[in-house]
Amino acid sequence: MSRTDVAARARAATVPAQPSIVTTEAWLRTPSAAPGVFRVRPLPFEATASYVQRLATAYQLTLPQLLDGASVTLTGPGTLPTAELHLSPAASNHLAALARIPLPHLTRALPRLAPNNAAHHTAAAARWKRLEAEQQPVRACTLCTHHHSHGTTDTAWVHRPPHRLMCPRHHQAAPDPRLTTIHTWAAPELAMAHHAHQRLHRHPRAATAWTTARAITTRWYDHQQHLTHRWHTRLTQLRATNPHLTTTGSASPALLARDLVTYPETVTLARALTTLPSRPHRTTNGALTLIAHRLNLDRLTPSANDPLRVFLTHTRR
């Protein structure tokens, strides 16, 4: 598919003859959208490959065809979510011009579009790069995607930050790349946790507190400690309203949905950790009493090697 083919699809059939919308010179500016040219808005934190695919879908092209028509050379095999598309600076400019979105705006929405280790290349090039499991994007909310795509697709992939685990408006989440979206309306405490997480995100120690709290609740979950009954009940609720949780490959629902099941308690614990006084102005037992109260537990008596007790004993905060 050539640049001429892309331009032909981009013009309305009834518009009088005019210079091609997609030309070599177009990459140097961001023109206004003409009739027949689609402006596809990126989702916040969207994967580059996901956005390019949605843009291609709008023009009824494949991803390689769109890049070829934009004079971008694509190399290497790859597919979402196991691989991401890395664009050279010149290719990023070509994409911004084709999308009719200024490059700074596009870069803010697509976290992986920023210059990478190929930044010294002057050619407009794109390559697939395989991602480790923890780096892979997850499914975006289908209703948000449908709206942003003007009804052309329900599928998009996002590199979501921790405080965007779910969509509280449409009650959807995708905690694992292997999952399609999970409906969360059966567990309303998840939406409440999301709102609490937005407030936590503004705290100067939010990132450290979240990393610590997630490590602790993951350990508790895997070893069935402290909050097992509550988490088992929540998992049962999610499975009842999401039958596909039990049919996703060889992974168990307990593993696939772990981050979602533990989410409310992880947010609560992280917020509690940010409010603890610094040592020596606190005692371990006093901190455990406070945290138990925040988690709505009668008491919390972790063993000596429990990660929470280790954290409270050996950190200065």
Side-chain angles (χ1 to χ4, degrees), residues 153-210:
T153 181
D154 294 332
T155 302
W157 299 83
V158 291
H159 294 284
R160 60 159 180 80
H163 68 287
R164 295 293 185 94
L165 177 65
M166 63 171 294
C167 173
R169 179 180 181 183
H170 299 123
H171 299 281
Q172 290 190 22
D176 189 282
R178 293 165 288 185
L179 285 172
T180 56
T181 53
I182 296 176
H183 297 285
T184 62
W185 55 264
E189 66 271 22
L190 292 170
M192 296 173 61
H194 171 86
H195 293 305
H197 202 169
Q198 308 317 299
R199 296 192 296 272
L200 169 67
H201 187 63
R202 296 191 288 268
H203 195 282
R205 298 199 301 272
T208 300
W210 172 261

Side-chain angles (χ1 to χ4, degrees), residues 109-129:
L110 309 180
R112 301 300 175 93
L113 186 63
N116 50 61
N117 55 10
H120 61 281
H121 292 170
T122 58
R127 63 185 178 89
W128 285 104
K129 182 177 180 182

Side-chain angles (χ1 to χ4, degrees), residues 22-311:
V22 182
T23 65
T24 302
E25 291 78 14
W27 314 134
L28 304 178
R29 62 186 183 277
T30 305
S32 300
V37 175
F38 299 101
R39 188 186 295 275
V40 178
R41 290 187 299 156
L43 291 164
F45 311 106
E46 188 168 5
T48 303
S50 172
Y51 178 70
V52 175
Q53 179 61 66
R54 289 199 301 116
L55 186 60
T57 299
Y59 285 104
Q60 300 181 24
L61 298 170
T62 65
L63 185 150
Q65 286 172 341
L66 183 81
L67 291 178
D68 181 64
S71 299
V72 176
T73 302
L74 177 63
T75 58
T79 184
L80 286 163
T82 57
E84 173 63 298
L85 201 60
H86 282 214
L87 272 61
S88 69
S92 297
N93 279 298
H94 285 211
L95 176 64
L98 181 62
R100 271 64 185 179
I101 297 175
L103 183 58
H105 296 179
L106 199 59
T107 301
R108 281 196 292 271
L110 309 180
R112 301 300 175 93
L113 186 63
N116 50 61
N117 55 10
H120 61 281
H121 292 170
T122 58
R127 63 185 178 89
W128 285 104
K129 182 177 180 182
R130 187 167 182 82
L131 300 173
E132 299 296 330
E134 63 275 8
Q135 298 175 321
Q136 293 177 10
V138 296
R139 304 264 188 174
C141 170
T142 58
L143 295 178
C144 290
T145 303
H146 185 85
H147 174 72
H148 278 71
S149 300
H150 302 291
T152 58
T153 181
D154 294 332
T155 302
W157 299 83
V158 291
H159 294 284
R160 60 159 180 80
H163 68 287
R164 295 293 185 94
L165 177 65
M166 63 171 294
C167 173
R169 179 180 181 183
H170 299 123
H171 299 281
Q172 290 190 22
D176 189 282
R178 293 165 288 185
L179 285 172
T180 56
T181 53
I182 296 176
H183 297 285
T184 62
W185 55 264
E189 66 271 22
L190 292 170
M192 296 173 61
H194 171 86
H195 293 305
H197 202 169
Q198 308 317 299
R199 296 192 296 272
L200 169 67
H201 187 63
R202 296 191 288 268
H203 195 282
R205 298 199 301 272
T208 300
W210 172 261
T211 300
T212 301
R214 184 172 181 269
I216 291 169
T217 55
T218 297
R219 171 72 177 274
W220 288 354
Y221 184 88
D222 290 345
H223 292 266
Q224 300 186 6
Q225 295 174 315
H226 308 306
L227 296 157
T228 301
H229 177 73
R230 188 185 306 177
W231 286 337
H232 178 75
T233 300
R234 189 173 298 144
L235 178 60
T236 301
Q237 292 171 333
L238 293 174
R239 291 179 64 177
T241 53
N242 297 276
H244 63 281
L245 261 175
T246 61
T247 59
T248 305
S250 58
S252 69
L255 176 61
L256 292 172
R258 178 175 61 191
D259 284 351
L260 192 58
V261 170
T262 62
Y263 184 57
E265 289 71 32
T266 303
V267 173
T268 299
L269 178 57
R271 295 185 69 192
L273 295 181
T274 63
T275 62
L276 291 178
S278 301
R279 295 181 68 195
H281 303 291
R282 72 159 192 259
T283 64
T284 298
N285 288 338
L288 288 173
T289 299
L290 171 64
I291 292 171
H293 175 73
R294 296 284 183 86
L295 291 173
N296 199 24
L297 294 172
D298 292 334
R299 64 182 182 278
L300 190 58
T301 55
S303 62
N305 61 351
D306 185 279
L308 177 58
R309 184 176 289 277
V310 171
F311 173 81

